[in-house]
């Protein structure tokens, strides 16, 4: 026969089941926060590509010769720098071209002042919302250069690189 004590065990079991399900839900919902670990990998790869291209352009072809980069900066050849840099950056192994864009500036010291000059202006694809990376390289210019000074002059070439 059934008495009131069986009913108490049933209510206690249902309450314990609800508490266990609620605990499992809280534990699972607080420990499964999704964070994508690969969100910055394309930016790091793009930065490494730009750094490699600047290093390659700053390497002279022969001993005692000046590099391509020194020639572009010293001769104020911004259009040649732009086309050469983008040709190197956009080249792929399968022959197709990537869609990278860039702008560049040159920072130098003029007496006690630090000046910056836009070397390559950004094209029409630049909206400011792109994920751009900054790549820099110090360039040693000979004494006869457009940035003045006596002797060898070091200027900072800074390139913003983005995928449109």
């Amino acid at each position: 026969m059934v008495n009131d004590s069986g009913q108490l065990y049933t209510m206690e079991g249902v309450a314990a089941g609800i508490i266990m399900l609620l605990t499992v839900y809280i534990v699972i919902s607080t420990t499964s926060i999704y964070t994508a670990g690969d969100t910055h990998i394309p930016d790091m790869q793009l930065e490494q590509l730009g750094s490699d291209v600047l290093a390659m352009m700053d390497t002279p072809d022969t001993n005692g010769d000046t590099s391509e980069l020194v020639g572009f900066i010293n001769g104020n050849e911004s259009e040649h720098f732009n086309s050469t840099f983008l040709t190197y950056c956009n080249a792929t192994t399968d022959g197709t071209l990537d869609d990278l864009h860039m702008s560049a500036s040159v920072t130098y010291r003029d007496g006690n002042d630090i000046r910056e000059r836009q070397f390559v202006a950004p094209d029409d694809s630049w909206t400011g919302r792109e994920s751009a990376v900054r790549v820099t390289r110090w360039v040693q210019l000979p004494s006869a250069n457009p940035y003045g000074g006596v002797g060898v002059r070091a200027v900072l070439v800074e390139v913003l690189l983005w995928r449109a």
Side-chain angles (χ1 to χ4, degrees), residues 46 49-54 56-57 82-92 96-102 159 161 163:
L46 191 58
L49 174 68
S51 179
D52 288 347
V53 168
L54 280 179
M56 184 178 69
M57 290 175 70
N82 185 19
S83 63
T84 303
F85 187 88
L86 287 178
T87 300
Y88 291 154
C89 277
N90 286 322
T92 59
T96 61
L97 293 178
D98 204 349
D99 193 23
L100 298 177
H101 300 274
M102 58 89 70
V159 176
L161 190 59
R163 183 171 275 114

Side-chain angles (χ1 to χ4, degrees), residues 4 14 16 18 29 31 33 37 40 54 66 75 81 91 93 101 106 114 116 120-121 131 133 144 146 161-162 164:
D4 291 341
V14 170
I18 291 173
S29 66
T31 58
I33 297 172
H40 299 291
L54 280 179
T66 60
F81 173 78
T93 56
H101 300 274
V106 176
I114 304 296
E116 182 177 9
V120 176
S131 179
V133 296
L161 190 59
W162 69 92

Side-chain angles (χ1 to χ4, degrees), residues 15-35:
I18 291 173
I19 290 173
M20 286 189 300
L21 288 176
L22 186 61
T23 304
V24 167
Y25 171 75
I26 290 172
V27 167
I28 289 176
S29 66
T30 58
T31 58
S32 64
I33 297 172
Y34 177 72
T35 55

